[in-house]
Amino acid sequence: MRLVIHQDYVRASIWAARYIAERINSYDQNKPFVLGLPTGSSPLGIYREFIKMKKKGTLSFKNVHTFNMDEYIGLPGNHPQSYRFFMTQNLFDHIDIDKKNINIPDGMAKDPKKECILYEEAIEKKGGIELFLGGMGSDGHIAFNEPGSSLASRTRVKTLTEETKIANARFFDGDPKKVPSTAFTVGVGTVMDAREVLIIVSGRSKARALRACVEEGVNHMWTLSCLQMHPKAIIVCDEDATEELKVGTVRYFKDIEKGNINN
């Protein structure tokens, strides 16, 4: 696992965006580049960089197929707090992706269990996810795979904890009761099946979780720690997020990445 440390969130986002853009641009154009995407505040800086690159003509999404990590159950795609709406507003409406290549679980699916099966099948039909971009929760979770989730889990319906509902209440007039109680989420196993995983982490609020996921063992109470077992995983973070890492750990990763940090 690589840990790439930048001075701040902006620099971390730019590096991550450029890394992903290079992967897309260098990929076999006869095959679709399958990209996993998250919502939330963590990837917004990366999405802004994608949009800038598209406008400059240095990045095209015409050959990109996307699969989002999660979606609230009970919210239609045009609801302002649905993750489909979030993606449309913050990325898809501003790039040249073919709308039929966008995949997000249907929050209004009549049969949620079947929707999960179909989602996994859709990923498989595309040949699997080439790169999964993600963020990390303050408790070390990825997507809605909260503490205690199976590290072998697949796309499924997940009941949200009260802590998660409180954290997301800022998008629902500050009222946790308005936050849907369940959501679709890809599983930890789904993420681990991607050929590459890149996670962006920023801020002091994530420092404890980053320490657990980097310095401690693999543990289903910190689901992102699964990346220790992935053959090609990168965590890109800012200085604030490293506050609880050992000095030696920070020095080690900075030393081995010093030739790549500005690339």
Side-chain angles (χ1 to χ4, degrees):
M1 180 174 65
R2 293 174 61 187
L3 180 65
V4 182
I5 303 169
H6 289 266
Q7 182 178 345
D8 53 39
Y9 171 74
V10 172
R11 289 176 174 83
S13 297
I14 291 172
W15 188 94
R18 289 177 177 173
Y19 181 90
I20 296 170
E22 184 177 347
R23 290 280 284 106
I24 293 172
N25 288 335
S26 62
Y27 197 70
D28 183 353
Q29 295 302 302
N30 293 315
K31 298 190 299 181
F33 187 96
V34 185
L35 179 64
L37 294 174
T39 52
S41 58
S42 293
L44 285 176
I46 296 173
Y47 293 163
R48 286 192 286 267
E49 290 302 313
F50 283 164
I51 294 167
K52 290 178 184 177
M53 292 178 192
K54 191 275 172 185
K55 289 180 178 178
K56 291 178 181 177
T58 58
L59 177 62
S60 172
F61 287 83
K62 289 182 178 179
N63 199 42
V64 175
H65 293 235
T66 64
F67 285 87
N68 263 76
M69 282 188 162
D70 38 30
E71 177 61 285
Y72 287 119
I73 292 177
L75 297 187
N78 60 357
H79 189 286
Q81 301 309 330
S82 74
Y83 287 161
R84 179 177 289 276
F85 189 89
F86 175 97
M87 293 302 302
T88 299
Q89 292 287 303
N90 290 290
L91 183 63
F92 295 146
D93 270 358
H94 310 284
I95 57 175
D96 57 345
I97 191 168
D98 189 327
K99 297 301 187 287
K100 72 175 184 294
N101 295 337
I102 295 170
N103 297 274
I104 302 175
D106 180 2
M108 300 303 290
K110 294 182 179 179
D111 188 338
K113 289 185 178 180
K114 184 177 181 181
E115 180 72 3
C116 295
I117 294 170
L118 292 175
Y119 205 65
E120 288 280 340
E121 289 178 349
I123 293 173
E124 186 177 354
K125 287 177 182 177
K126 292 297 180 185
I129 292 173
E130 185 65 27
L131 187 151
F132 226 133
L133 170 64
M136 180 188 72
S138 59
D139 57 5
H141 76 260
I142 182 170
F144 277 125
N145 295 290
E146 297 175 323
S149 294
S150 168
L151 299 185
S153 56
R154 313 303 303 186
T155 299
R156 66 202 187 285
V157 174
K158 194 77 170 63
T159 300
L160 306 186
T161 65
E162 193 62 26
E163 182 178 349
T164 294
K165 294 175 72 174
I166 291 171
N168 291 352
R170 65 188 188 277
F171 303 114
F172 292 84
D173 302 321
D175 186 355
K177 293 181 181 178
K178 293 183 179 180
V179 180
S181 297
T182 56
F184 291 114
T185 182
V186 296
V188 179
T190 312
V191 174
M192 289 291 284
D193 277 353
R195 287 178 278 281
E196 186 168 9
V197 181
L198 189 153
I199 304 296
I200 184 161
V201 180
S202 69
R204 291 182 176 86
S205 65
K206 307 290 181 73
R208 179 169 172 260
L210 185 64
R211 174 184 56 78
C213 294
V214 172
E215 293 184 341
E216 297 179 10
V218 177
N219 188 329
H220 69 165
M221 298 308 292
W222 305 92
T223 52
L224 192 71
S225 67
C226 67
L227 292 190
Q228 295 179 34
M229 304 294 290
H230 197 283
K232 197 171 184 181
I234 305 174
I235 296 178
V236 185
C237 69
D238 59 16
E239 293 278 1
D240 285 348
T242 69
E243 279 202 348
E244 294 207 22
L245 292 176
K246 295 175 183 176
V247 172
T249 300
V250 173
R251 285 178 176 171
Y252 169 76
F253 282 108
K254 282 187 173 182
D255 183 56
I256 63 175
E257 292 291 344
K258 61 186 178 184
N260 303 316
I261 199 72
N262 294 317
N263 294 338

